[in-house]
Amino acid sequence: MPKNSVPDFYYLESDGQVFLVKKGRRWQFPSRKSELPCAFKPVFTMPLAGGSVLFAKPTLTTHPFHWFHKDDLIGRPDVAAIVQQAVNRSLPRAASKVAMIEHGKVLMVRAGRGITKGIWNLPGGFVGYGEHPAPSAQREVLEELGIRVQLKRLLGIYAETFPRTGGYMLSFVYLGKRLTQTIKPHPEEIESFTWMPVKKAARITPNPFARAGLRDYLKGTFSA
């Protein structure tokens, strides 16, 4: 949505409490500023199928106990579908990646499926439910490339909001050492792989997390 466009809906949330208005038989996001109970600070617009939803932080002096808690909205038949979609979209997703660097080159992969299909990227993927990011990164590398990896250090933790989907992600990027010599890419997950000079990889990858991690490696600003 263009920067100065008016959203279809306003999503006000404070400490997990969400402001909704009753429209007919369902609770819905306000669609006009006149329906809002207070001033707000815009954060990000979610481009959902049912309309654009501006996620915003309300300006309040007290906790809005009388608002709905977001955890209680999912699955309720009296809550509009777009509210449930937006609440789901507002929850941060987590991913973890590994930079394996040998002789000045980093191992890069090109996925054969998923949201990173066809782009050069660091191996890794979503953190599973109940997983810590570190073993999640090791699991993903094993699944994608058939190799075991030792994590040496954390290069950084990065955050990104994606305009096309409105999704919000956190990514943990690790520096790793390959423990298995033979690389066996998963035929469904990985289309191809290559060893690429680190500077080139940081320049050409469109993935913001891989780019940030490799740039911090080059700058030597990674976490201890």
Side-chain angles (χ1 to χ4, degrees):
M1 188 178 83
K3 186 176 181 180
N4 296 322
S5 296
V6 177
D8 296 309
F9 301 100
Y10 295 86
Y11 177 172
L12 300 189
E13 181 182 325
S14 177
D15 288 336
Q17 300 293 112
V18 180
F19 179 75
L20 300 177
V21 294
K22 194 68 175 290
K23 296 191 175 183
R25 296 183 178 181
R26 294 190 176 182
W27 291 95
Q28 175 65 281
F29 288 130
S31 57
R32 299 186 301 273
K33 283 189 177 180
S34 60
E35 297 175 310
L36 301 178
C38 59
F40 62 88
K41 180 180 179 181
V43 177
F44 202 81
T45 299
M46 303 175 180
L48 303 179
S52 59
V53 178
L54 175 63
F55 183 94
K57 289 293 183 182
T59 303
L60 300 169
T61 56
T62 59
H63 181 73
F65 289 101
H66 57 294
W67 293 8
F68 291 87
H69 193 277
K70 65 191 304 179
D71 289 343
D72 298 329
L73 295 175
I74 303 299
R76 283 186 53 158
D78 62 340
V79 173
I82 195 168
V83 172
Q84 301 188 41
Q85 292 166 8
V87 167
N88 180 66
R89 195 64 54 86
S90 73
L91 301 175
R93 270 60 169 176
S96 55
K97 297 180 177 298
V98 183
M100 289 169 278
I101 300 172
E102 300 178 11
H103 309 295
K105 295 185 177 182
V106 61
L107 183 59
M108 300 290 284
V109 298
R110 192 152 54 190
R113 67 183 186 193
I115 59 176
T116 59
K117 179 180 178 180
I119 69 170
W120 286 113
N121 195 7
L122 291 174
F126 288 109
V127 176
Y129 180 77
E131 275 189 320
H132 184 280
S136 172
Q138 293 172 308
R139 172 186 58 77
E140 285 286 347
V141 172
L142 182 61
E143 290 177 0
E144 291 181 355
L145 298 171
I147 59 178
R148 299 188 182 279
V149 62
Q150 177 186 359
L151 302 182
K152 306 296 289 185
R153 59 175 59 92
L154 180 66
L155 290 174
I157 304 171
Y158 310 98
E160 190 79 18
T161 308
F162 295 91
R164 187 176 64 83
T165 64
Y168 177 59
M169 285 189 66
L170 301 173
S171 185
F172 300 76
V173 182
Y174 295 90
L175 181 66
K177 178 182 179 181
R178 181 169 53 131
L179 300 178
T180 307
Q181 290 303 305
T182 303
I183 300 174
K184 297 180 179 179
H186 192 287
E188 292 182 356
E189 290 196 48
I190 302 301
E191 179 183 287
S192 58
F193 70 91
T194 189
W195 291 94
M196 189 180 296
V198 179
K199 286 186 178 180
K200 178 181 178 181
R203 186 178 71 252
I204 72 167
T205 179
N207 184 274
F209 307 126
R211 182 169 59 247
L214 292 175
R215 285 179 175 175
D216 278 348
Y217 170 82
L218 290 168
K219 292 186 294 185
T221 58
F222 44 82
S223 305

